Amino acid sequence: MIRPWPPPIWLILLLPWPNWISGQEPPLRVVGSHYVQKILGYDGSEGEESIAYRMTSSLLGLMKIREGLADVAFVIQSSQAHPSVPGTANIPLGYWSVYFAVHGDNPLTEVPLARLSDLLRKTRQGLKSEWGFLLPDEPDWANRPMLVTFGLTEEDPSYPVLNHWFFQDEAVQELGSLGEYLADPIGAGSSALLVLSQLPEVDRGLRLLSLVQPGDTVGFPPSQENLFFGDYPLRCSLHLVARDIEEPRTRRFLAGFFQSRDLEKLGDSGFVAVPANVRNQALLEFDLEF
């Protein structure tokens, strides 16, 4: 019987060696939405074992963590809570939200969510509205045309919040065509109702509207505190979930992330960070201190 000759040593050296033979660690598998990729500059497509996906929430990221297919996941939670994964580290980072504002000379201070939803559905149908729709007890405003202008796009992290609350997760294209979109929504004038993805600067003369939820009599204005406690409803949260907090690669990743200026980059896109003491407490629970 003729036995096959073993391959020459040079051919063996050319074959791909597993990481454990070469002593190299496998790449960290990070899952994150395209929003986080865009804002943080993290390219999840680099590396054969990296995973990137695009969706309006992050249930898929939690599934990959649960099945051991990812090490770290940036998870965007919509208003529908996702199940937690036992044994993982869940660190809250902050919130994106949708805000409504009027100019300072507009008497409107708060608006019921139901009325606001009716208004945006009417706008989507291409119908005009007047301020009497929201200010029935203000005769000077009753017949004044309302200009609904969107200071956000489908690419903003806040877009899934707007879509879920007001358009029942239907595909909405070209938000500008739904209202009277202006290139500079801040300069739209006193007849504008502004839909924003960021808190406006205090010196722009705008009044942010409090939102009254069904069954309530008091509205809550958007603020970091109200977003954190959920009193202001139009929000989605961002968490960082780690599958194995003791994994050295994961700990190095977390150290680099929390010691960098990445959260400030998130702030440039309307992100409102959780209070520092809340994030630090979550880190200490997992024996992490940066």
Side-chain angles (χ1 to χ4, degrees):
M1 183 176 66
I2 300 177
R3 296 181 179 179
W5 285 89
I9 189 64
W10 61 267
L11 181 57
I12 295 176
L13 293 175
L14 288 179
L15 294 175
W17 285 26
N19 289 320
W20 62 269
I21 293 179
S22 63
Q24 296 179 355
E25 291 182 329
L28 189 74
R29 299 166 300 177
V30 179
V31 178
S33 78
H34 71 294
Y35 300 123
V36 178
Q37 176 180 336
K38 175 182 177 182
I39 297 166
L40 295 182
Y42 175 81
D43 186 359
S45 63
E46 294 182 355
E48 294 181 356
E49 298 189 44
S50 297
I51 305 167
Y53 63 94
R54 176 175 181 145
M55 57 193 308
T56 57
S57 63
S58 299
L59 180 58
L60 178 59
L62 291 180
M63 292 173 60
K64 290 185 178 295
I65 288 282
R66 184 189 64 189
E67 300 299 326
L69 301 176
D71 301 302
V72 177
F74 288 100
V75 178
I76 295 178
Q77 300 273 63
S78 65
S79 56
Q80 298 176 344
H82 298 319
S84 60
V85 180
T88 60
N90 192 322
I91 304 168
L93 299 179
Y95 307 94
W96 282 295
S97 190
V98 173
Y99 312 106
F100 293 84
V102 294
H103 280 257
D105 58 353
N106 189 312
L108 188 66
T109 59
E110 64 179 21
V111 59
L113 265 175
R115 296 288 281 171
L116 198 55
S117 182
D118 290 342
L119 173 64
L120 291 187
R121 280 198 294 266
K122 182 178 180 181
T123 299
R124 184 178 185 183
Q125 296 169 1
L127 303 175
K128 304 291 184 180
S129 187
E130 297 173 339
W131 274 103
F133 186 81
L134 297 179
L135 292 169
D137 299 324
E138 296 284 343
D140 292 341
W141 288 76
N143 298 318
R144 186 178 299 196
M146 178 188 299
L147 304 178
V148 181
T149 178
F150 292 88
L152 59 82
T153 69
E154 289 89 343
E155 296 301 318
D156 286 327
S158 300
Y159 170 73
V161 184
L162 182 79
N163 190 26
H164 174 75
W165 273 86
F166 300 106
F167 302 120
Q168 289 75 48
D169 290 326
E170 299 177 10
V172 180
Q173 303 295 330
E174 298 181 3
L175 283 176
S177 65
L178 302 184
E180 300 289 342
Y181 183 83
L182 301 177
D184 179 14
I186 304 299
S190 60
S191 292
L193 174 69
L194 299 106
V195 186
L196 306 172
S197 61
Q198 298 187 42
L199 290 169
E201 299 176 5
V202 295
D203 60 348
R204 299 306 293 267
L206 297 178
R207 178 188 296 115
L208 287 168
L209 299 182
S210 301
L211 301 182
V212 184
Q213 300 194 62
D216 292 343
T217 57
V218 177
F220 291 90
S223 67
Q224 180 167 312
E225 181 180 25
N226 288 340
L227 283 170
F228 175 69
F229 287 106
D231 295 322
Y232 186 83
L234 303 185
R235 67 170 191 168
C236 62
S237 59
L238 178 66
H239 295 258
L240 193 156
V241 181
R243 185 175 64 88
D244 182 3
I245 204 66
E246 299 300 329
E247 167 63 45
R249 294 172 304 149
T250 300
R251 297 182 75 87
R252 288 197 298 270
F253 175 87
L254 295 177
F257 178 77
F258 286 106
Q259 290 174 347
S260 71
R261 303 175 67 89
D262 286 335
L263 293 184
E264 295 182 15
K265 297 178 185 177
L266 287 170
D268 293 339
S269 128
F271 180 80
V272 176
V274 300
N277 63 319
V278 174
R279 188 175 68 243
N280 292 339
Q281 181 61 38
L283 290 170
L284 288 174
E285 289 179 8
F286 305 106
D287 194 26
L288 297 170
E289 189 173 5
F290 306 123

